[in-house]
């Protein structure tokens, strides 16, 4: 069929033509904004799930909803940065938020104070010890956001910006992706800052997305995180939603899938949203008629698999060392699902303690997570199938 009309969007974070199965999270976000706007406390939200389930897509919908409700949006994709780099990233977003809340020429005393607090927060010392102000808001606010402690300083900044937002009768929503890459000190600072604005009933809230371990990491950083945040988990779609995710975009372009084609498509993809987009794109490419049949899905499978192998899977595999790849391959040898650390070590002909550092490295890289004590699982659906394809022969770790 016409490639220009292909309605599927297999790209990182790209909005699908038809978004299905995520109404509970969207409704929770609407309630969050509405309650915070009325001065009623409501738990912030960090959506968790494996790669390819649509967490970033959901954040994009949250952004659209927030803007439509006249909220200021501050977005940040988290990377592994030191506290200084993280401080600069937060300061930059808060600067933009202040300026969006009110043009600087119309700043009241409360906005001017928030600007000075931001100046204090943004102070940094270079290698020669020279103090530099990162933003052009003039004076700092002595004794506020200048403690040199990220948690204290960020809390001061959030309160100052929240007070300015309250005066402007608007709100600020922070949208953070890849939250699991925050260090413990950064996560602690973020949780404490959100806690402080909740206590002051200020119109700042946060939604984020991360891999499944983020709920545990947040609890380790601050014991009250489970009361401050909700951690909805999203995964593969229900059968009817998965069918609509494939057939809905096709109908928009005057095409459709027959029932047998959908049955096979759901089996191949495991009903994971990103995989559905990839298979839909491949099937559209190979199909000749406006009704996509089971045979069209069979014909598209090779294209679908090669695309995943070359991009979605390969980009993660190529970041691994030889020993890390061997560990991943040993996990794949044991089959899908969570695997016991001792069983993986046995496959590698090693003691569990000998390969534990490799496992920790892979968790830190975001390739594995620990669903239960002593177990690990892939953060990428179907990664064990890819490992069997890319490394047909199992290699044990040498001395």
């Amino acid at each position: 069929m016409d490639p220009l009309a292909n309605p599927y969007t297999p790209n990182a974070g790209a909005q699908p033509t038809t978004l299905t199965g995520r109404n509970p999270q969207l409704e929770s976000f609407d309630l969050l904004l509405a309650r915070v706007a009325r001065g009623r406390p409501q738990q912030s939200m960090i959506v968790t799930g494996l790669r390819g389930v649509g967490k970033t897509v959901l954040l994009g919908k949250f952004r659209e909803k927030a803007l439509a409700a006249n909220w200021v949006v501050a977005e940040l994709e988290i990377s592994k940065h030191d506290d200084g780099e993280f401080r600069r990233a937060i300061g930059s977003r808060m600067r933009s938020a202040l300026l969006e809340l009110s043009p600087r020429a119309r700043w009241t005393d409360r906005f001017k104070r928030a600007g000075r607090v931001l100046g204090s927060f943004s102070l940094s010392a270079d290698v020669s010890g020279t103090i530099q102000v990162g933003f052009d808001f003039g004076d700092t606010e002595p004794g506020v956001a200048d403690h040199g402690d990220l948690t204290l300083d960020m809390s001061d900044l959030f309160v100052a910006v929240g007070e300015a937002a309250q005066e402007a009768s608007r709100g600020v929503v922070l949208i953070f992706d890849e939250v699991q890459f925050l260090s413990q000190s950064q996560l602690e600072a973020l949780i404490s800052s959100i806690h402080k604005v909740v206590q002051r009933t200020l119109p700042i809230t946060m939604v984020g997305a991360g891999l499944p371990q983020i709920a545990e990491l947040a609890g380790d950083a601050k014991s009250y995180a489970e009361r401050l945040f909700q951690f909805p988990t999203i995964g593969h779609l229900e059968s009817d939603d998965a069918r609509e995710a494939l057939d809905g975009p096709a109908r928009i372009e005057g095409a459709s899938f027959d029932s047998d084609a959908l049955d096979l498509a759901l089996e191949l993809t495991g009903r994971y949203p990103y995989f559905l987009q990839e298979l839909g794109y491949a099937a559209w490419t190979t199909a000749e008629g406006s009704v996509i049949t089971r045979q069209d899905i069979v014909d598209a499978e090779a294209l679908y698999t090669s695309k995943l192998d070359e991009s979605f899977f390969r980009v993660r595999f190529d970041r691994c060392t030889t020993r890390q790849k061997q560990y991943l391959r040993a996990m794949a040898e044991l089959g899908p699902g969570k695997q016991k650390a001792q069983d993986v070590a046995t496959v590698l002909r090693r003691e569990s303690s000998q390969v534990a550092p490799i496992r920790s490295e892979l968790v830190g890289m975001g390739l594995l997570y620990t669903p239960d004590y002593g177990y690990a699982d892939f953060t990428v659906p179907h990664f064990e199938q890819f490992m069997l394809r890319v490394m047909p022969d199992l290699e044990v770790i040498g001395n």
Side-chain angles (χ1 to χ4, degrees), residues 4-265:
L4 187 61
N6 194 324
Y8 301 96
T9 57
N11 295 286
Q15 291 284 341
T17 307
T18 301
L19 180 63
T20 64
R22 302 304 183 221
N23 284 340
Q25 294 76 36
L26 294 171
E27 291 168 1
S28 291
F29 182 72
D30 287 339
L31 179 62
L32 171 63
L33 292 192
R35 284 185 60 83
V36 173
R38 294 184 64 179
R40 303 287 175 83
Q42 182 74 3
Q43 288 176 309
S44 296
M45 178 169 32
I46 301 179
V47 180
T48 70
L50 303 179
R51 299 289 186 191
V53 296
K55 299 186 299 298
T56 303
V57 168
L58 199 51
L59 292 184
K61 293 299 291 185
F62 291 164
R63 177 182 179 276
E64 289 179 11
K65 283 177 166 287
L67 293 175
N70 200 33
W71 281 63
V72 172
V73 174
E75 292 182 279
L76 180 63
E77 182 177 331
I78 306 298
S79 299
K80 288 189 175 183
H81 291 315
D82 61 33
D83 286 355
E85 293 170 318
F86 180 64
R87 179 186 288 260
R88 285 190 288 275
I90 293 294
S92 175
R93 271 58 177 189
M94 285 304 192
R95 178 183 187 275
S96 297
L98 274 176
L99 292 172
E100 188 172 343
L101 284 167
S102 175
R104 193 171 174 188
R106 284 189 251 160
W107 275 11
T108 62
D109 288 344
R110 185 165 289 185
F111 271 87
K112 290 175 182 176
R113 180 182 184 276
R116 293 194 301 271
V117 172
L118 179 58
S120 296
F121 180 82
S122 305
L123 285 176
S124 61
D126 65 18
V127 291
S128 66
T130 302
I131 299 298
Q132 300 175 327
V133 179
F135 300 99
D136 59 351
F137 287 163
D139 295 336
T140 60
E141 186 79 357
V144 183
D146 60 1
H147 312 286
D149 178 280
L150 183 62
T151 296
L152 294 176
D153 292 349
M154 191 183 298
S155 296
D156 285 347
L157 176 61
F158 278 30
V159 167
V161 174
E163 290 173 343
Q166 189 175 60
E167 183 176 83
S169 298
R170 296 184 69 188
V172 177
V173 59
L174 310 172
I175 300 182
F176 292 161
D177 203 0
E178 303 287 5
V179 177
Q180 75 280 348
F181 288 134
L182 288 170
S183 69
Q184 183 163 354
S185 63
Q186 293 162 5
L187 186 56
E188 180 180 352
L190 181 60
I191 294 170
S192 296
S193 301
I194 295 296
H195 190 209
K196 187 65 68 176
V197 296
V198 168
Q199 290 175 317
R200 303 286 181 88
T201 321
L202 297 172
I204 292 185
T205 191
M206 174 198 156
V207 291
L211 294 175
Q213 65 263 37
I214 188 57
E216 180 181 356
L217 294 174
D220 290 343
K222 283 292 183 183
S223 59
Y224 55 76
E226 63 185 27
R227 286 168 284 154
L228 190 64
F229 292 91
Q230 53 178 311
F231 297 93
T233 298
I234 61 174
H236 59 66
L237 297 173
E238 295 298 325
S239 180
D240 287 347
D241 291 328
R243 289 171 179 272
E244 180 61 17
L246 277 174
D247 204 37
R251 291 198 308 271
I252 292 172
E253 296 297 334
S256 64
F257 285 74
D258 69 27
S259 181
D260 288 344
L262 289 173
D263 288 343
L264 180 56

